[in-house]
């Protein structure tokens, strides 16, 4: 295959990947908005949020006017279709409870959550790679003991709930040692340490566990044996060959990990009194603020799809085998 043909094939694969992810985005938005609409409406009448809560004293005329203004007097199917259209066009309207455009609320609360989740994913990867390198370089009887301890730590930390881990970190880092603040009100580095560590630790344990198994397989693979036969040192074989292959399964899981971090932000932001999308969603759910809940969930779904698309673009850079399409039978080199 010529260089031009190879470039065209790569461009075609990239275009298909983008279109596939865009289709996934539309499907995810439809499914999530449907589930959220049904769940929030099943929990009660959203008119309470519009009128200021269950204890508000409102006349029958005001109730009827509010139902008409927000389309709540229409059949439930028409309400659902209208909400679906507004979601697909990203027109979420105004918050029932806050009386503000949902777009403004999202613009103010999405960046802090993105910062928190992105830093947590980076830290999770650093911790996972560190654990994998320690396990790979440990040799002999001591090495087996080190790997057993690391495996135990990874297993425990990967199943530890965020609220429990965050509470422990607050007790140790804020109350006992007084090093970090117990609340996080912005992007101050000290205030970010405990929330980021709370989010990152379980994901790091899971990624490291996956990487250890892949690293053992890669270390016994023929390409590693060939690299050693050519005179490559153990450090070079690890850093240049086996570690890259071991990172591929963990890289494929990074999209799931980022989605898990965004959902975990609901607990972490509430625990550390930190502003963000997770805390906004929690408060909106409690008062049945449908536009805010659907807007927030839609943004999270779109962010997840965007991260998966980014991973699709990065994986060929890490794994050369994914760069070239298989040549047709009989094609000339």
């Amino acid at each position: 295959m010529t260089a031009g043909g190879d470039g065209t094939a790569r461009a075609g694969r990239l275009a298909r990947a983008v279109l596939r992810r865009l289709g996934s985005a539309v499907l995810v938005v439809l499914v999530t908005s449907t589930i959220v609409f049904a769940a929030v409406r099943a929990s009660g009448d959203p008119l309470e949020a519009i009128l200021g809560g269950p204890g508000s004293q409102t006349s029958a005329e005001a109730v009827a006017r509010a139902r008409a203004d927000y389309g709540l007097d229409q059949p439930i199917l028409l309400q659902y279709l209208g909400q679906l259209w507004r979601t697909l066009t990203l027109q979420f309207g105004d918050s029932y409870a806050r009386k503000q455009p949902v777009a403004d609320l999202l613009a103010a609360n999405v960046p802090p959550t993105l910062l928190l989740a992105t830093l947590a994913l980076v830290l999770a990867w650093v911790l996972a790679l560190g654990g994998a390198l320690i396990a790979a370089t440990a040799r002999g009887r001591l090495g087996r003991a080190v790997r057993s301890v690391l495996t135990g730590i990874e297993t425990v930390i990967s199943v530890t709930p965020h609220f429990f881990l965050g509470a422990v970190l607050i007790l140790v880092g804020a109350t006992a040692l007084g090093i970090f603040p117990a609340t996080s009100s912005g992007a101050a580095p000290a205030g970010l340490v405990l929330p980021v560590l709370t989010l990152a630790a379980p994901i790091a344990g899971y990624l490291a566990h996956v990487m250890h198994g892949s690293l053992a397989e890669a270390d016994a693979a023929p390409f590693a044996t060939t690299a050693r036969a050519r005179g490559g040192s153990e450090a070079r074989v690890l850093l240049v060959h086996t570690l890259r292959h071991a990172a591929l399964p963990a890289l494929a899981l990074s999209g799931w990990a980022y989605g898990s971090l965004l959902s975990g932000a609901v607990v972490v932001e509430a625990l550390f009194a930190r502003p963000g999308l997770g805390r906004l969603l929690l408060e909106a759910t409690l008062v049945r603020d449908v536009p805010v809940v659907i807007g927030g969930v839609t943004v999270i779904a779109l962010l997840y799809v965007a991260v998966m698309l980014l991973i699709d673009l990065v994986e060929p850079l890490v794994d050369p085998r994914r760069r070239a399409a298989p040549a047709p039978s009989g094609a000339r080199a």
Side-chain angles (χ1 to χ4, degrees):
M1 181 181 289
T2 63
D6 188 54
T8 302
R10 285 198 298 269
R13 289 196 301 275
L14 176 61
R16 287 192 296 272
V18 171
L19 290 175
R20 185 169 58 251
R21 289 302 177 190
L22 289 176
S24 299
V26 173
L27 180 61
V28 167
V29 167
L30 289 174
V31 173
T32 54
S33 61
T34 300
I35 294 174
V36 170
F37 180 85
V40 175
R41 291 306 301 268
S43 65
D45 191 350
L47 193 64
E48 290 183 358
I50 298 173
L51 298 177
S56 61
Q57 301 294 327
T58 309
S59 64
E61 292 79 7
V63 171
R65 185 166 57 252
R67 287 192 180 278
D69 290 342
Y70 287 89
L72 297 176
D73 57 342
Q74 298 177 351
I76 191 68
L77 179 60
L78 291 181
Q79 294 182 43
Y80 164 70
L81 293 176
Q83 183 64 64
L84 208 58
W85 173 251
R86 289 190 296 272
T87 302
L88 287 174
T89 56
L90 301 181
Q91 297 176 357
F92 303 112
D94 293 339
S95 164
Y96 290 165
R98 299 174 183 245
K99 313 302 180 188
Q100 293 178 252
V102 174
D104 293 347
L105 293 172
L106 294 176
N109 287 277
V110 168
T113 299
L114 282 181
L115 175 64
L116 184 65
T118 303
L119 290 177
L121 184 62
V122 172
L123 179 59
W125 262 97
V126 170
L127 294 175
L129 285 173
L133 288 174
I134 292 173
T137 54
R139 302 294 178 185
R141 183 176 302 176
L142 177 61
R144 289 193 295 272
V146 168
R147 286 192 292 272
S148 298
V149 171
L150 285 175
T151 301
I153 293 175
E154 293 160 6
T155 302
V156 171
I157 201 68
S158 63
V159 298
T160 302
H162 287 121
F163 69 86
F164 177 78
L165 181 59
V168 171
L169 291 177
I170 289 174
L171 287 175
V172 175
T175 304
L177 301 179
I179 301 175
F180 305 107
T183 59
S184 175
S185 58
L192 281 168
V193 172
L194 295 184
V196 169
L197 185 57
T198 301
L199 269 180
I203 296 297
Y206 190 81
L207 293 179
H209 188 73
V210 171
M211 212 174 294
H212 284 175
S214 302
L215 194 59
E217 294 178 2
D219 191 60
F223 67 84
T225 304
T226 302
R228 292 188 184 95
R230 291 176 177 174
S233 64
E234 288 296 330
R236 178 176 175 80
V237 172
L238 172 63
L239 296 176
V240 177
H241 300 284
T242 58
L243 187 61
R244 182 177 63 180
H245 286 266
L248 287 174
L251 180 62
L253 289 171
S254 293
W256 162 84
Y258 200 77
S260 178
L261 292 171
L262 290 173
S263 62
V266 176
V267 175
V268 172
E269 288 173 355
L271 183 63
F272 290 93
R274 176 179 173 80
L277 183 58
R279 193 175 175 187
L280 176 68
L281 275 174
L282 178 62
E283 295 173 355
T285 302
L286 292 176
V287 298
R288 294 191 290 275
D289 197 342
V290 180
V292 174
V293 175
I294 290 182
V297 173
T298 300
V299 168
I300 290 176
L302 292 177
L303 288 173
Y304 173 77
V305 173
V307 171
M308 293 302 296
L309 176 60
L310 181 61
I311 291 173
D312 285 344
L313 300 178
V314 170
E315 278 187 333
L317 301 178
V318 180
D319 187 2
R321 295 170 298 179
R322 298 195 55 182
R323 298 178 194 173
S329 58
R332 292 182 299 173

